């Protein structure tokens, strides 16, 4: 698959690449950005022609509305290089649609499809050498939009900047994580912006997550804001539970992000003949299943982390350990997903998107 409606972008290349200064074996996630970035401004009611320029700082007014009212949304994507040097994206149409869904909820104008895909294609051509082959290696892509109009009146901005920056990445998590089931704090509520990738959703998680870390845990599995009886998301990931041989996950709604990895895991599991149940999952059900020995696995799923198993959880002062399975669903589904992403297996779903590399 390749997007054909390519826009001629204005491109200013770096004088000299920084790639030789980077230790690709010791990367901190999202800390080292590659040579180029895309910027596109919205002014006078329209998006201007996108530009690709050298990555670097930019000037903004202290009164820019993003700093005061949080009009900011983002996406997370990855590009992969296979053994033949071909470059792939994974279901980018989903990310394009979701950033516009997020933007609409935050009163931000939607971004044109031809600009989005043209910018991705050009960036990946310019920074081709930053995409390292091999399972676990990728170039993380961060499209985002911020409100740039100056003035602190409490109203939507009339100026915005859409940007894409990229960063070489290795595996986000290694091993498993320990989690707490939320009993007091909430990630989102009915009628809110939980389904959007709004920047404030993530900022609001940091404090309760820090409290969990102080108790020796890595993340929080969030529960519904009304009763704290139903499990919804894990940190920045969607969450799956294996009860017996069934895989259970909460349905998406206006509190839960419609994760691309989540949808892919569900499709892969169903293809393997696994019983997948998309329904509400109560804290009581999971604790009862753990006591009865029926809770086999919990794992999170997301773009950055891919699939992360949970080794233990706490709720109501009780601690529960999960069994370590040799051939877990988490391991199987992660391997299946990575094989598709890195072009090591057939793609029966048509998820791979080949980037046309200019020779």
């Amino acid at each position: 698959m390749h997007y054909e409606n390519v826009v001629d972008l204005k491109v200013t290349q770096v004088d000299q690449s920084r790639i030789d200064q980077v230790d690709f074996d010791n990367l901190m996630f999202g800390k080292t950005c590659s040579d180029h970035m895309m910027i596109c401004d919205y002014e006078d009611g329209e998006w201007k022609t996108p530009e690709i320029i050298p990555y670097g700082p930019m000037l903004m007014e202290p009164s820019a509305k993003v700093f005061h009212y949080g009009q900011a949304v983002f996406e997370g994507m990855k590009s992969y290089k296979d053994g033949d040097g071909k470059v792939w994206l994974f279901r980018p149409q989903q990310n394009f649609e979701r950033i516009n869904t997020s933007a609409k909820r935050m009163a931000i104008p939607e971004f044109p499809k031809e600009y989005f895909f043209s910018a991705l294609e050009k960036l990946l051509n310019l920074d081709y050498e930053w995409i390292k082959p091999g399972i676990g290696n990728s170039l993380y892509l961060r499209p985002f939009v911020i409100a740039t109009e100056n003035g602190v009146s409490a109203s939507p901005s009339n100026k915005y900047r859409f940007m894409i920056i990229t960063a070489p990445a290795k595996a986000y998590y290694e091993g498993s994580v320990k989690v707490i089931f939320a009993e007091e704090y909430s990630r989102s509520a009915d009628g809110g912006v939980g389904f959007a990738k709004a920047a404030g959703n993530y900022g609001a998680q940091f404090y309760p997550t820090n409290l969990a870390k102080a108790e020796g845990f890595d993340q929080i599995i969030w529960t519904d804001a009304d009763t704290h009886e139903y499990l919804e998301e894990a940190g920045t990931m969607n969450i799956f539970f294996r009860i017996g041989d069934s895989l259970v996950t909460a349905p998406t709604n206006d509190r839960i992000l419609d994760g691309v990895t989540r949808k892919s895991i569900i499709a892969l599991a169903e293809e393997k003949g696994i019983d997948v149940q998309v329904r509400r999952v109560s804290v009581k059900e999971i604790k009862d299943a753990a006591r009865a020995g029926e809770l086999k696995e919990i794992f999170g799923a997301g773009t950055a982390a891919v699939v992360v198993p949970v080794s233990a959880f706490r709720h109501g002062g009780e601690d529960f350990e999960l069994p370590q399975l040799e051939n877990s669903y988490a391991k199987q589904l992660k391997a299946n997903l990575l094989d598709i992403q890195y072009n090591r297996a057939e793609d029966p779903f048509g998820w791979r998107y080949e980037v046309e590399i200019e020779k």
Side-chain angles (χ1 to χ4, degrees), residues 159-277:
K159 294 182 180 180
Y160 298 90
R161 175 163 287 184
F162 194 111
M163 301 185 67
I164 304 176
I165 58 175
T166 71
K170 297 185 79 67
Y172 191 70
Y173 284 111
E174 296 288 350
S176 57
V177 296
K178 294 171 62 179
V179 301
I180 289 179
F181 289 179
E183 298 180 68
E184 178 182 358
Y185 295 99
S186 301
R187 178 187 174 275
S188 59
D190 291 339
V193 297
F195 68 92
K197 285 189 77 72
N201 286 347
Y202 297 79
Q205 293 187 40
F206 296 154
Y207 175 68
T209 302
N210 283 346
L211 296 180
K213 289 180 176 179
E215 295 186 47
F217 292 83
D218 302 293
Q219 276 291 357
I220 296 173
I221 295 186
W222 302 102
T223 49
D224 69 291
D226 292 336
T227 67
H228 294 295
E229 292 178 3
Y230 293 93
L231 296 154
E232 298 193 332
E233 284 196 0
T236 58
M237 300 177 287
N238 294 113
I239 192 71
F240 288 85
F241 305 89
R242 178 182 173 183
I243 303 172
D245 290 328
S246 296
L247 197 59
V248 185
T249 192
T252 55
N253 51 39
D254 59 7
R255 300 185 307 276
I256 298 176
L257 187 72
D258 186 17
V260 177
T261 307
R262 171 189 176 276
K263 287 186 280 196
S264 305
I265 290 291
I266 290 171
L268 286 167
E270 290 176 338
E271 186 193 39
K272 294 171 76 71
I274 295 171
D275 174 42
V276 180
Q277 301 175 18

Side-chain angles (χ1 to χ4, degrees), residues 11 33 67-68 74 116 142 195 203 210 228 235 253 274 323:
V11 177
C33 288
F67 299 136
H68 303 274
F74 69 95
F116 184 82
R142 171 53 61 92
F195 68 92
N210 283 346
H228 294 295
N253 51 39
I274 295 171

